[in-house]
mmCIF file of all heavy atoms in Angstrom:
data_model
loop_
_atom_site.group_PDB
_atom_site.id
_atom_site.type_symbol
_atom_site.label_atom_id
_atom_site.label_comp_id
_atom_site.label_asym_id
_atom_site.label_seq_id
_atom_site.Cartn_x
_atom_site.Cartn_y
_atom_site.Cartn_z
ATOM 1 N N VAL A 111 84.955 95.448 101.297
ATOM 2 C CA VAL A 111 84.454 94.095 101.078
ATOM 3 C C VAL A 111 83.054 94.107 100.481
ATOM 4 O O VAL A 111 82.640 93.140 99.846
ATOM 5 C CB VAL A 111 84.512 93.275 102.396
ATOM 6 C CG1 VAL A 111 83.499 93.787 103.403
ATOM 7 C CG2 VAL A 111 84.352 91.796 102.141
ATOM 8 N N TYR A 112 82.349 95.203 100.626
ATOM 9 C CA TYR A 112 80.992 95.304 100.096
ATOM 10 C C TYR A 112 80.964 95.563 98.589
ATOM 11 O O TYR A 112 79.920 95.431 97.959
ATOM 12 C CB TYR A 112 80.216 96.410 100.821
ATOM 13 C CG TYR A 112 80.050 96.129 102.293
ATOM 14 C CD1 TYR A 112 80.773 96.846 103.246
ATOM 15 C CD2 TYR A 112 79.198 95.123 102.741
ATOM 16 C CE1 TYR A 112 80.632 96.581 104.591
ATOM 17 C CE2 TYR A 112 79.050 94.847 104.084
ATOM 18 C CZ TYR A 112 79.772 95.585 105.011
ATOM 19 O OH TYR A 112 79.633 95.304 106.350
ATOM 20 N N LEU A 124 90.373 88.956 103.588
ATOM 21 C CA LEU A 124 89.615 89.773 104.533
ATOM 22 C C LEU A 124 90.518 90.086 105.716
ATOM 23 O O LEU A 124 91.065 89.175 106.342
ATOM 24 C CB LEU A 124 88.355 89.045 105.006
ATOM 25 C CG LEU A 124 87.487 89.791 106.014
ATOM 26 C CD1 LEU A 124 86.928 91.083 105.408
ATOM 27 C CD2 LEU A 124 86.356 88.899 106.514
ATOM 28 N N ASP A 126 89.609 92.055 108.440
ATOM 29 C CA ASP A 126 88.829 92.490 109.599
ATOM 30 C C ASP A 126 88.662 91.313 110.546
ATOM 31 O O ASP A 126 88.562 90.164 110.104
ATOM 32 C CB ASP A 126 87.445 92.986 109.167
ATOM 33 C CG ASP A 126 87.502 94.302 108.410
ATOM 34 O OD1 ASP A 126 88.559 94.962 108.430
ATOM 35 O OD2 ASP A 126 86.477 94.659 107.801
ATOM 36 N N ARG A 127 88.615 91.603 111.831
ATOM 37 C CA ARG A 127 88.469 90.530 112.827
ATOM 38 C C ARG A 127 87.065 89.930 112.802
ATOM 39 O O ARG A 127 86.884 88.735 112.992
ATOM 40 C CB ARG A 127 88.788 91.061 114.223
ATOM 41 C CG ARG A 127 88.850 89.974 115.277
ATOM 42 C CD ARG A 127 89.419 90.480 116.581
ATOM 43 N NE ARG A 127 90.781 90.965 116.444
ATOM 44 C CZ ARG A 127 91.876 90.239 116.645
ATOM 45 N NH1 ARG A 127 91.764 88.982 116.983
ATOM 46 N NH2 ARG A 127 93.071 90.763 116.498
ATOM 47 N N LEU A 128 86.063 90.774 112.559
ATOM 48 C CA LEU A 128 84.674 90.307 112.543
ATOM 49 C C LEU A 128 84.170 90.238 111.117
ATOM 50 O O LEU A 128 84.557 91.045 110.259
ATOM 51 C CB LEU A 128 83.790 91.260 113.350
ATOM 52 C CG LEU A 128 84.199 91.483 114.807
ATOM 53 C CD1 LEU A 128 83.336 92.557 115.432
ATOM 54 C CD2 LEU A 128 84.133 90.191 115.586
ATOM 55 N N TRP A 129 83.270 89.282 110.866
ATOM 56 C CA TRP A 129 82.687 89.185 109.534
ATOM 57 C C TRP A 129 81.819 90.420 109.290
ATOM 58 O O TRP A 129 81.061 90.852 110.162
ATOM 59 C CB TRP A 129 81.838 87.909 109.411
ATOM 60 C CG TRP A 129 81.406 87.725 107.995
ATOM 61 C CD1 TRP A 129 80.199 88.073 107.459
ATOM 62 C CD2 TRP A 129 82.201 87.229 106.922
ATOM 63 N NE1 TRP A 129 80.192 87.815 106.110
ATOM 64 C CE2 TRP A 129 81.413 87.296 105.755
ATOM 65 C CE3 TRP A 129 83.493 86.744 106.835
ATOM 66 C CZ2 TRP A 129 81.874 86.885 104.515
ATOM 67 C CZ3 TRP A 129 83.955 86.324 105.605
ATOM 68 C CH2 TRP A 129 83.155 86.399 104.461
ATOM 69 N N PRO A 130 81.878 91.009 108.093
ATOM 70 C CA PRO A 130 81.108 92.225 107.790
ATOM 71 C C PRO A 130 79.599 91.986 107.882
ATOM 72 O O PRO A 130 79.088 90.988 107.381
ATOM 73 C CB PRO A 130 81.505 92.553 106.348
ATOM 74 C CG PRO A 130 82.771 91.810 106.113
ATOM 75 C CD PRO A 130 82.732 90.604 106.987
ATOM 76 N N ARG A 131 78.930 92.937 108.497
ATOM 77 C CA ARG A 131 77.478 92.835 108.680
ATOM 78 C C ARG A 131 76.750 92.808 107.352
ATOM 79 O O ARG A 131 77.069 93.541 106.429
ATOM 80 C CB ARG A 131 76.967 94.033 109.460
ATOM 81 C CG ARG A 131 77.258 93.943 110.906
ATOM 82 C CD ARG A 131 76.459 94.989 111.635
ATOM 83 N NE ARG A 131 76.666 94.781 113.060
ATOM 84 C CZ ARG A 131 76.798 95.743 113.925
ATOM 85 N NH1 ARG A 131 76.719 96.991 113.534
ATOM 86 N NH2 ARG A 131 76.981 95.462 115.192
ATOM 87 N N GLY A 132 75.759 91.926 107.286
ATOM 88 C CA GLY A 132 74.860 91.901 106.146
ATOM 89 C C GLY A 132 75.449 91.341 104.860
ATOM 90 O O GLY A 132 74.842 91.462 103.806
ATOM 91 N N LEU A 133 76.614 90.729 104.938
ATOM 92 C CA LEU A 133 77.269 90.219 103.734
ATOM 93 C C LEU A 133 77.325 88.692 103.785
ATOM 94 O O LEU A 133 77.874 88.117 104.722
ATOM 95 C CB LEU A 133 78.690 90.781 103.630
ATOM 96 C CG LEU A 133 79.461 90.426 102.371
ATOM 97 C CD1 LEU A 133 78.791 91.015 101.131
ATOM 98 C CD2 LEU A 133 80.886 90.933 102.477
ATOM 99 N N ALA A 134 76.759 88.065 102.772
ATOM 100 C CA ALA A 134 76.801 86.598 102.699
ATOM 101 C C ALA A 134 78.218 86.153 102.348
ATOM 102 O O ALA A 134 78.907 86.784 101.550
ATOM 103 C CB ALA A 134 75.824 86.100 101.637
ATOM 104 N N LYS A 135 78.649 85.078 102.961
ATOM 105 C CA LYS A 135 80.016 84.602 102.740
ATOM 106 C C LYS A 135 80.278 84.249 101.275
ATOM 107 O O LYS A 135 81.360 84.524 100.762
ATOM 108 C CB LYS A 135 80.325 83.423 103.650
ATOM 109 C CG LYS A 135 80.424 83.866 105.092
ATOM 110 C CD LYS A 135 80.960 82.809 106.002
ATOM 111 C CE LYS A 135 81.052 83.394 107.402
ATOM 112 N NZ LYS A 135 81.667 82.540 108.345
ATOM 113 N N ASP A 136 79.311 83.663 100.597
ATOM 114 C CA ASP A 136 79.549 83.311 99.197
ATOM 115 C C ASP A 136 79.623 84.558 98.304
ATOM 116 O O ASP A 136 80.344 84.573 97.311
ATOM 117 C CB ASP A 136 78.494 82.334 98.683
ATOM 118 C CG ASP A 136 77.071 82.853 98.796
ATOM 119 O OD1 ASP A 136 76.809 83.705 99.672
ATOM 120 O OD2 ASP A 136 76.212 82.411 98.014
ATOM 121 N N ALA A 137 78.926 85.627 98.669
ATOM 122 C CA ALA A 137 78.963 86.864 97.886
ATOM 123 C C ALA A 137 80.298 87.589 98.043
ATOM 124 O O ALA A 137 80.752 88.272 97.129
ATOM 125 C CB ALA A 137 77.823 87.794 98.293
ATOM 126 N N ALA A 138 80.950 87.421 99.193
ATOM 127 C CA ALA A 138 82.205 88.131 99.463
ATOM 128 C C ALA A 138 83.385 87.515 98.712
ATOM 129 O O ALA A 138 84.363 88.201 98.450
ATOM 130 C CB ALA A 138 82.493 88.120 100.957
ATOM 131 N N ARG A 139 83.291 86.242 98.397
ATOM 132 C CA ARG A 139 84.380 85.537 97.706
ATOM 133 C C ARG A 139 85.733 85.789 98.373
ATOM 134 O O ARG A 139 86.682 86.226 97.750
ATOM 135 C CB ARG A 139 84.422 85.913 96.229
ATOM 136 C CG ARG A 139 83.286 85.286 95.446
ATOM 137 C CD ARG A 139 83.485 85.258 93.955
ATOM 138 N NE ARG A 139 84.857 85.223 93.508
ATOM 139 C CZ ARG A 139 85.376 86.076 92.610
ATOM 140 N NH1 ARG A 139 84.626 87.012 92.072
ATOM 141 N NH2 ARG A 139 86.622 85.980 92.231
ATOM 142 N N VAL A 140 85.791 85.505 99.669
ATOM 143 C CA VAL A 140 87.017 85.675 100.441
ATOM 144 C C VAL A 140 87.828 84.395 100.337
ATOM 145 O O VAL A 140 87.311 83.300 100.564
ATOM 146 C CB VAL A 140 86.684 85.999 101.917
ATOM 147 C CG1 VAL A 140 87.917 85.905 102.792
ATOM 148 C CG2 VAL A 140 86.048 87.373 102.008
ATOM 149 N N GLU A 142 91.056 84.140 101.929
ATOM 150 C CA GLU A 142 91.790 83.998 103.185
ATOM 151 C C GLU A 142 91.196 84.971 104.197
ATOM 152 O O GLU A 142 90.755 86.065 103.833
ATOM 153 C CB GLU A 142 93.279 84.325 102.990
ATOM 154 C CG GLU A 142 93.937 83.527 101.897
ATOM 155 C CD GLU A 142 95.055 82.644 102.421
ATOM 156 O OE1 GLU A 142 95.406 82.723 103.607
ATOM 157 O OE2 GLU A 142 95.569 81.869 101.606
ATOM 158 N N TRP A 143 91.253 84.563 105.481
ATOM 159 C CA TRP A 143 90.756 85.407 106.557
ATOM 160 C C TRP A 143 91.675 85.257 107.762
ATOM 161 O O TRP A 143 91.346 84.573 108.714
ATOM 162 C CB TRP A 143 89.320 85.045 106.889
ATOM 163 C CG TRP A 143 88.636 85.957 107.858
ATOM 164 C CD1 TRP A 143 89.026 87.199 108.266
ATOM 165 C CD2 TRP A 143 87.411 85.692 108.538
ATOM 166 N NE1 TRP A 143 88.125 87.732 109.149
ATOM 167 C CE2 TRP A 143 87.124 86.823 109.338
ATOM 168 C CE3 TRP A 143 86.533 84.619 108.564
ATOM 169 C CZ2 TRP A 143 85.984 86.899 110.140
ATOM 170 C CZ3 TRP A 143 85.412 84.699 109.356
ATOM 171 C CH2 TRP A 143 85.137 85.824 110.135
ATOM 172 N N LYS A 145 92.591 86.268 110.896
ATOM 173 C CA LYS A 145 92.114 87.128 111.987
ATOM 174 C C LYS A 145 93.251 87.628 112.877
ATOM 175 O O LYS A 145 93.165 88.715 113.437
ATOM 176 C CB LYS A 145 91.093 86.371 112.827
ATOM 177 C CG LYS A 145 89.832 86.037 112.077
ATOM 178 C CD LYS A 145 88.893 85.240 112.955
ATOM 179 C CE LYS A 145 87.740 84.702 112.154
ATOM 180 N NZ LYS A 145 86.861 83.861 112.955
ATOM 181 N N ALA A 201 85.711 96.234 105.855
ATOM 182 C CA ALA A 201 84.396 96.861 105.922
ATOM 183 C C ALA A 201 84.506 98.332 106.305
ATOM 184 O O ALA A 201 83.513 99.053 106.308
ATOM 185 C CB ALA A 201 83.520 96.126 106.931
#
Side-chain angles (χ1 to χ4, degrees):
V111 69
Y112 297 107
L124 179 63
D126 290 347
R127 188 169 299 267
L128 303 174
W129 188 262
R131 283 193 174 141
L133 185 64
K135 290 190 178 186
D136 58 334
R139 287 198 28 232
V140 169
E142 305 242 354
W143 188 15
K145 295 178 190 176

